[in-house]
Amino acid sequence: MSDQQPTEQPSRVERSNPAVEAEPGGIGSSNAPDSLSREIKLLGSLLGQVIAEQAGEEVLTLVERVRKLTIDIRKNPSPTRQMGLRAILEELSIEQIEALIKAFSLYFHLTNLAEEKHRVRRVRKRARTTPGGQEGSLEAAIRKLLAEGEPEQVKASIDRLSIGLVLTAHPTEARRRTVLVALRRTFALIDRLDDPRLTPNEDSEIRRRLREEITLLWRTSVLRTERPSPLDEVRTALLFFDETLFQVTPYLYRTLDRVLDLVPSVTHGDGGEGAEIPAAGPATDSGHTGTRPPTVHAYLRWGSWVGADRDGHPHVTADTTREAVTIGADHALRGLEHVATRLMHTVTLTHSGDDFSPRLRARLDLDREELGNAYEELLRHFPDEPYRQRFGCIAERLRQTRHRLVAGRGIGSGYRSPDDLLDELGELQAALIDDGMARVAYGEVQALRWQVETFGFHALSLEVRQHSEVHAATLAAISDGLVLGERAVANGVTAAEVLETYRAIDDIQHRFGSGACQRYVISFTREAQDVYNVLELADYAGLARDAIDVVPLLETADALEHADRLFDQIIGDPRYREHVRARGDHQEVMLGYSDSTKESGALAAAWLLHGAETKLAAAAQRHGIKLTLFHGRGGAIGRGGGPMSRAILSSAPHSLDGTLKITEQGEVVADRYANFDIAMRHLAQLTNAVLVASSPAHEQQAQDAQVQGKAILEELAER
């Protein structure tokens, strides 16, 4: 672990149950903090039992022998010991090698789960014990902004806030979806061991179930035997939507809304200029959030390249992209239907007769007319509970919407768009407020609104990516009058397939709404014509130019060094400027970290990227355009990885203005979004960093640092 915290006291189970130390067998050992070390030892010993049961004592003896010898080599390295280990390994049969690999692979999976739990334990402890909010928290950000400016400035910062997170498939994540799900089940069991209320019988049952899950993992192939299809990758990405994203997003908004009670003139009209910042502690639990209209809008923008990124992936076709959105819609609509059903069972206000909101009565009359038997069934179950009837009708309409959009059944039934659902939720909130139930209106009903506003009916907004050379080659083929479907024009792609991609975007927008697929990323953008080509192809395919945002991806040293010149050329075209105006005077530019690092080296690429941020921010300001910089970062250092909040805080001055967009690639997705608490901490840190880095005081510091460090960084980059 990177930063040691005071050692926590062991849980009741760890103190009282000698099985943690006394389980027979096992392959685990650790110098980690006590609580983490106990869990690693427990999981190692349980794994040892499973190995003995499934593969035999001989295999367990081999695993232990290799484990102890490698530990000895690490502590006391010597050629003799290394030769001894090599001699053992060279004598093994294929079956023994496979068993050895399986044992250590599974051990490391289990160890990672224990470490994940320890990360959660540490995050929660800091949250409990840090007055004013731990570093990187939402509370820390708001307190810092309040110390530097007026409440109105804090409110303006929140209003500008927009964070885009785009999930990408990547070969560094090789685990099967089956294994990821099994590991989540195992984590849930490990997590329960900390519950001080467990009885000895419950503790024994958890350990029994842990042995069962580890046995299943032992017999399950960890890696895929075949390369996953794009749709396999789509389903894996949506595992994290189901597991955390759908739930953690409204929780994040609620937490920030609660913290904004520190700014009373923003949230409920008290205080004002010169008001003191409340002391750390109770101010963040004033009770106002959930009783007033929320101050926080739905500022997260979840996207995905999975099933839409065709750069170097010939198996991603127009039909793949259509199906990827359909799969996402199935997950989103099931999630929304589940929430509406839950609200049907919880918002149980009783009204005799018609003594409730006329608008609510009118909506129920429409439900009776449109839903027929489904409404009559709700009326029979909840005769004097109009809110339960209403939420039941919403759940039914969502079910019908899912059947229409996903399965192609029930033409015209359900909701036409998420806006229709938002209108109904607004009506319900107004009725509840009139009924004296503001806490319900701005509580769980607001959480559902946030989910609809964030995810729509599509879950993750798909972003198409294609190489600039493919567009140029397709236009050349069209100009030459070639038969477009006969042969590939570039990178194994036919011109017909390129045009069909645009038609797929059109189909998706008409079916699921414009937010489901509207961005088109151009890999290796080198000149303005690369951008114009995308819109010219849209014309050929019959897609309205204003239906898409064109996103140039700059990833070569030359493109990054002359980013401002390229931006001026792109915006300088009158037709393209009109396109940007129609899209709200907003332009997104993506910066590539992986290829720029390969070409220039890590430090030189980092300085090139920083310079590109500065130049692009200045160019956008000259043209009166709102700029979003899209950072294509990966998990590894060579792909721009590292602590994300530090990277944001080191952004070029004036390059954020409350807006950030990044990729979440490969195994980073599982690391950040498999666990609710870790996902919440990550999203809070991102929000903190964007708010702080966009403040005038921080931008001035960044400007000063840039001036002071420019000369030496330029010299280092050149060398």
Side-chain angles (χ1 to χ4, degrees):
M1 308 299 288
S2 58
D3 48 343
Q4 295 294 323
Q5 295 297 308
T7 301
E8 293 92 345
Q9 292 298 311
S11 70
R12 183 202 59 77
V13 172
E14 290 168 336
R15 291 195 304 269
S16 64
N17 197 321
V20 173
E21 300 292 344
E23 297 273 8
I27 65 170
S29 179
S30 173
N31 293 319
D34 287 351
S35 51
L36 174 59
S37 179
R38 288 188 187 92
E39 284 155 1
I40 291 174
K41 287 179 179 178
L42 169 63
L43 293 171
S45 67
L46 296 179
L47 175 58
Q49 292 179 38
V50 169
I51 292 172
E53 292 169 1
Q54 294 294 315
E57 291 288 348
E58 299 81 3
V59 171
L60 178 59
T61 300
L62 172 64
V63 170
E64 283 293 282
R65 184 183 180 193
V66 170
R67 181 183 71 83
K68 291 176 180 177
L69 186 52
T70 52
I71 291 172
D72 192 28
I73 290 171
R74 181 172 178 80
K75 291 180 178 178
N76 304 291
S78 76
T80 303
R81 292 188 178 92
Q82 290 173 347
M83 289 174 62
L85 176 60
R86 180 182 294 274
I88 292 171
L89 298 178
E90 287 178 345
E91 293 177 359
L92 299 180
S93 66
I94 293 295
E95 291 75 14
Q96 289 175 311
I97 292 171
E98 288 180 348
L100 195 63
I101 292 172
K102 182 184 290 189
F104 281 102
S105 296
L106 184 47
Y107 173 67
F108 290 132
H109 279 309
L110 296 173
T111 299
N112 286 341
L113 293 182
E115 185 181 35
E116 178 185 324
K117 181 182 174 183
H118 193 67
R119 287 170 65 190
V120 171
R121 183 187 291 120
R122 201 171 54 174
V123 164
R124 295 176 71 86
K125 180 177 181 179
R126 289 178 185 172
R128 291 194 305 270
T129 59
T130 310
Q134 59 182 312
E135 183 180 356
S137 69
L138 297 173
E139 183 176 349
I142 298 304
R143 288 187 178 278
K144 183 174 179 61
L145 294 182
L146 275 175
E148 297 172 353
E150 300 298 330
E152 292 74 16
Q153 293 172 305
V154 177
K155 176 64 164 61
S157 297
I158 299 298
D159 290 344
R160 291 196 305 271
L161 192 60
S162 176
I163 298 177
L165 299 145
V166 181
L167 309 187
T168 75
H170 202 268
T172 52
E173 175 55 272
R175 291 173 296 182
R176 299 169 60 204
R177 186 169 68 253
T178 300
V179 172
L180 292 172
V181 172
L183 290 172
R184 299 327 303 164
R185 292 196 304 265
T186 307
F187 178 86
L189 292 169
I190 299 168
D191 196 39
R192 285 197 62 200
L193 286 174
D194 264 352
D195 188 344
R197 300 168 301 173
L198 284 178
T199 65
N201 185 57
E202 290 170 329
D203 179 73
S204 296
E205 175 61 12
I206 290 172
R207 292 165 191 272
R208 184 200 65 75
R209 291 184 60 197
L210 275 171
R211 292 184 186 91
E212 182 179 350
E213 291 292 350
I214 293 170
T215 302
L216 289 168
L217 281 165
W218 178 264
R219 296 293 294 271
T220 301
S221 176
V222 176
L223 303 179
R224 305 176 181 97
T225 56
E226 297 179 356
R227 180 173 180 170
S229 73
L231 294 181
D232 289 333
E233 294 173 331
V234 168
R235 293 183 178 94
T236 297
L238 287 166
L239 169 66
F240 299 101
F241 172 83
D242 296 337
E243 188 75 24
T244 55
L245 304 187
F246 190 67
Q247 290 83 18
V248 78
T249 296
Y251 185 77
L252 175 76
Y253 299 156
R254 177 70 69 197
T255 304
L256 180 55
D257 195 65
R258 181 181 298 110
V259 170
L260 285 173
D261 282 337
L262 289 168
V263 197
S265 63
V266 169
T267 56
H268 55 277
D270 300 329
E273 187 174 352
E276 292 185 4
I277 302 173
T284 58
D285 188 25
S286 65
H288 292 295
T289 185
T291 65
R292 54 169 171 75
T295 306
V296 176
H297 64 284
Y299 64 85
L300 291 185
R301 300 287 180 266
W302 290 101
S304 175
W305 282 6
V306 189
D309 181 6
R310 54 249 306 134
D311 183 10
H313 203 323
H315 298 295
V316 176
T317 65
D319 286 341
T320 301
T321 302
R322 291 185 179 98
E323 184 62 23
V325 175
T326 303
I327 295 170
D330 187 42
H331 285 252
L333 287 163
R334 286 180 187 275
L336 295 172
E337 182 186 344
H338 174 77
V339 175
T341 302
R342 175 167 54 80
L343 289 171
M344 178 187 73
H345 290 298
T346 56
V347 184
T348 55
L349 285 71
T350 301
H351 283 271
S352 59
D354 290 337
D355 64 331
F356 53 90
S357 164
R359 292 182 68 182
L360 185 56
R361 283 201 304 272
R363 181 65 73 173
L364 287 170
D365 289 340
L366 187 61
D367 290 336
R368 182 193 299 269
E369 178 184 335
E370 293 183 350
L371 298 180
N373 291 337
Y375 174 79
E376 295 299 332
E377 187 71 12
L378 289 166
L379 185 62
R380 186 174 66 83
H381 281 292
F382 315 122
D384 297 320
E385 296 169 307
Y387 292 100
R388 298 186 76 173
Q389 296 169 27
R390 194 75 268 283
F391 281 113
C393 290
I394 287 175
E396 173 62 19
R397 279 193 169 87
L398 285 166
R399 186 188 68 81
Q400 292 182 6
T401 304
R402 176 166 55 84
H403 282 199
R404 187 185 84 246
L405 294 179
V406 176
R409 299 196 302 268
I411 296 173
S413 62
Y415 292 108
R416 292 171 301 173
S417 74
D419 289 338
D420 292 342
L421 173 55
L422 290 171
D423 288 343
E424 291 189 22
L425 292 175
E427 287 178 2
L428 271 166
Q429 285 182 303
L432 284 163
I433 292 165
D434 290 344
D435 227 342
M437 299 296 289
R439 285 195 182 277
V440 178
Y442 296 131
E444 290 304 291
V445 180
Q446 180 59 43
L448 176 56
R449 286 200 65 159
W450 275 327
Q451 287 170 318
V452 177
E453 289 167 347
T454 302
F455 298 108
F457 291 165
H458 55 268
L460 309 174
S461 179
L462 280 193
E463 300 191 358
V464 171
R465 184 172 74 137
Q466 183 58 278
H467 200 289
S468 59
E469 291 179 359
V470 173
H471 304 134
T474 301
L475 285 168
I478 293 171
S479 178
D480 292 342
L482 299 178
V483 178
L484 301 184
E486 282 191 346
R487 62 183 178 82
V489 291
N491 294 357
V493 183
T494 66
E497 177 59 35
V498 173
L499 295 177
E500 188 61 23
T501 297
Y502 288 89
R503 298 186 186 106
I505 295 172
D506 193 42
D507 293 343
I508 289 166
Q509 291 191 358
H510 279 94
R511 188 174 172 188
F512 299 99
S514 60
C517 185
Q518 62 184 1
R519 290 179 178 81
Y520 199 115
V521 181
I522 315 166
S523 297
F524 282 94
T525 301
R526 294 183 173 88
E527 57 184 11
Q529 189 60 48
D530 293 333
V531 174
Y532 307 150
N533 287 346
V534 170
L535 294 183
E536 190 173 344
L537 286 168
D539 294 339
Y540 277 110
L543 175 68
R545 288 185 171 212
D546 296 344
I548 55 174
D549 290 315
V550 184
V551 183
L553 168 51
L554 313 183
E555 44 197 332
T556 66
D558 184 67
L560 292 168
E561 189 172 355
H562 303 104
D564 52 343
R565 186 190 309 170
L566 179 57
F567 191 92
D568 289 337
Q569 291 170 353
I570 293 170
I571 300 299
D573 180 82
R575 288 194 69 190
Y576 190 79
R577 184 65 184 87
E578 184 60 33
H579 166 76
V580 173
R581 189 172 291 112
R583 300 296 294 173
D585 277 327
H586 174 256
Q587 178 64 54
E588 191 172 302
V589 178
M590 185 172 182
L591 304 176
Y593 284 69
S594 178
D595 286 286
S596 60
T597 300
K598 292 174 190 173
E599 181 183 9
S600 304
L603 188 142
W607 185 238
L608 271 172
L609 288 157
H610 189 86
E613 293 176 25
T614 302
K615 294 170 184 176
L616 287 167
Q621 189 173 25
R622 285 197 305 272
H623 291 281
I625 289 173
K626 169 69 175 176
L627 174 70
T628 295
L629 290 177
F630 180 10
H631 300 267
R633 293 178 175 273
I637 295 297
R639 302 182 62 83
M644 187 56 64
S645 56
R646 291 188 187 181
I648 296 167
L649 291 170
S650 67
S651 297
H654 312 295
S655 65
L656 286 175
D657 193 29
T659 302
L660 173 77
K661 188 174 177 183
I662 57 173
T663 53
E664 300 280 38
Q665 296 184 12
E667 79 287 350
V668 169
V669 176
D671 183 62
R672 291 174 176 163
Y673 299 114
N675 180 283
F676 184 96
D677 291 279
I678 291 173
M680 177 61 191
R681 173 64 172 157
H682 172 62
L683 294 171
Q685 286 178 316
L686 288 181
T687 303
N688 170 294
V690 173
L691 287 170
V692 171
S694 301
S695 69
H698 185 89
E699 288 191 329
Q700 185 58 55
Q701 292 174 352
Q703 186 75 52
D704 295 343
Q706 191 178 63
V707 171
Q708 294 167 10
K710 182 177 180 180
I712 189 154
L713 278 166
E714 286 183 345
E715 181 181 351
L716 287 168
E718 183 179 350
R719 286 177 178 270

